[in-house]
Amino acid sequence: MHHPAEHHNLGKGIACGMGAGALWGLVFLAPELIRSFTPLEMACGRYVLYGLFAAAMVAPRWRVLSHTVPLRTWWTLNWLSFAGNTAYYVLLSSAVKNGGITTTTLVIGFLPVLVTLVGSRDKDALPLRQLLPSIILCVAGAICIGWQAMHTHSVARAPFFGLLCAVAALGSWTLYAVGNSRALVRQRHFSAHDWNLLTGLATGAQNLTLLPLALLLDPTAHGLAQWSNFALVSAGVALLASITGNALWNRMNQLLPLTLVGQMILFETLFSLCYGFIWEQRMPTGTQAVAFGCVVFSVLLCVRAHRKPVAQATNASTA
């Protein structure tokens, strides 16, 4: 007999992961809407506003909350903010700009595999052999997406530098995903929402210091209409992707093991592709449809592998 509470957590965690992916996928549309700005400006615009929104939301409880955040926790929040937000966003944008969408998509497509492999070393984690079918499908999906991109995008301007940026972005976000998941386990006295707001304060402060540099490095003169559009897109991405998306992701981290958290990253790719098709007003190609199938079945197989130990543990406790 299955334990309903365990399955409820599994279902709730997956729903949170899907919600986060749906909102994070919007980030890939933002550069299309504000093309005349640099990757560093886009990062600063998004994250300074993320910090301002977080500050406004945390202000009523700041006196109480600030006493529960020791210096060591601020250090954790700062390096997580840098690895998962600032550095990742700039590296990803630079990878696309220099190496093309192909290399970037292929490399970033291995995020779920890397996080799942790291998670499989955790205590009480599922054995790697049980996760292998899911990992193989995930890799197949990433290769399909990259193969399609290779045949639809122009030749990269600086392929080797682009590849280095993509690999660095992959490492940066893997570091964040693993570090954030483990930090949430240690910091159980914080809710997922509070942890997200504290991350927002750290990220906002970092990007506020980078803002003068970002403006200095951009030689382009922007008109009032362009700045208004930039502010609007940055605010939308900050509210939807950073405030709401990150809160859902943190809640999911509290409900799911790291081996399953890795698979949830696939939803960002899935939704960003869907938004891309809507933006381009077309249907997916055959290769992209296969990639979709691989992504969906990869997650389903991973969920199925995690359901078995839950059922076995429940049966053992009721025996």
Side-chain angles (χ1 to χ4, degrees):
M1 182 182 162
H2 295 179
H3 198 291
E6 291 282 7
H7 282 279
H8 176 67
N9 273 0
L10 205 63
K12 200 173 174 182
I14 292 162
C16 287
M18 285 179 74
L23 293 169
W24 282 354
L26 293 167
V27 170
F28 291 83
L29 276 180
E32 286 291 327
L33 300 168
I34 45 175
R35 289 182 73 113
S36 59
F37 292 89
T38 65
L40 189 57
E41 281 176 321
M42 287 177 201
C44 287
R46 173 187 175 180
Y47 294 129
V48 166
L49 285 169
Y50 174 28
L52 288 173
F53 288 138
M57 292 167 84
V58 87
R61 293 178 297 113
W62 179 245
R63 191 172 288 181
V64 176
L65 192 63
S66 61
H67 292 301
T68 63
V69 191
L71 197 63
R72 191 177 171 185
T73 303
W74 278 118
W75 165 249
T76 303
L77 285 161
N78 267 291
W79 81 255
L80 285 173
S81 298
F82 184 76
N85 292 329
T86 312
Y88 175 71
Y89 200 69
V90 173
L91 286 166
L92 185 72
S93 306
S94 303
V96 172
K97 199 173 178 182
N98 292 285
I101 199 84
T102 315
T103 309
T104 310
T105 311
L106 263 174
V107 174
I108 300 300
F110 286 97
L111 258 173
V113 181
L114 209 54
V115 175
T116 304
L117 287 173
V118 174
S120 69
R121 299 180 67 182
D122 281 4
K123 192 188 173 188
D124 301 326
L126 283 181
L128 198 58
R129 66 178 183 277
Q130 288 184 35
L131 300 167
L132 207 56
S134 177
I135 291 170
I136 290 166
L137 274 174
C138 172
V139 172
I143 290 169
C144 284
I145 293 163
W147 178 264
Q148 178 63 39
M150 191 161 53
H151 290 84
T152 52
H153 288 271
S154 57
V155 178
R157 288 189 298 175
F160 185 68
F161 181 68
L163 177 65
L164 284 179
C165 286
V167 171
L170 173 70
S172 188
W173 215 87
T174 302
L175 198 66
Y176 164 76
V178 174
N180 191 55
S181 184
R182 288 175 178 165
L184 278 162
V185 170
R186 290 195 307 271
Q187 315 280 348
R188 288 211 177 269
H189 52 288
F190 289 113
S191 69
H193 183 56
D194 281 345
W195 186 253
N196 181 33
L197 295 181
L198 291 169
T199 305
L201 293 178
T203 309
Q206 279 174 18
N207 283 272
L208 201 58
T209 60
L210 286 171
L211 191 57
L213 179 69
L215 295 170
L216 198 70
L217 292 175
D218 184 12
T220 316
H222 303 286
L224 186 62
Q226 286 178 311
W227 279 114
S228 301
N229 192 34
F230 177 80
L232 198 66
V233 171
S234 298
V237 172
L239 267 176
L240 294 169
S242 296
I243 295 284
T244 316
N246 289 12
L248 287 168
W249 182 262
N250 287 339
R251 183 71 189 117
M252 178 210 67
N253 268 290
Q254 293 177 326
L255 296 167
L256 302 178
L258 189 55
T259 44
L260 191 49
V261 164
Q263 296 296 309
M264 294 297 106
I265 302 164
L266 288 165
F267 284 112
E268 183 187 3
T269 306
L270 199 62
F271 279 104
S272 65
L273 283 171
C274 286
Y275 300 147
F277 298 142
I278 294 165
W279 179 260
E280 293 168 11
Q281 297 181 330
R282 67 176 180 87
M283 294 296 286
T285 63
T287 315
Q288 285 165 336
V290 171
F292 263 63
C294 288
V295 166
V296 172
F297 280 110
S298 171
V299 174
L300 289 175
L301 283 174
C302 196
V303 171
R304 188 167 174 264
H306 282 85
R307 277 183 181 272
K308 286 178 185 176
V310 171
Q312 287 164 4
T314 308
N315 290 337
S317 65
T318 53

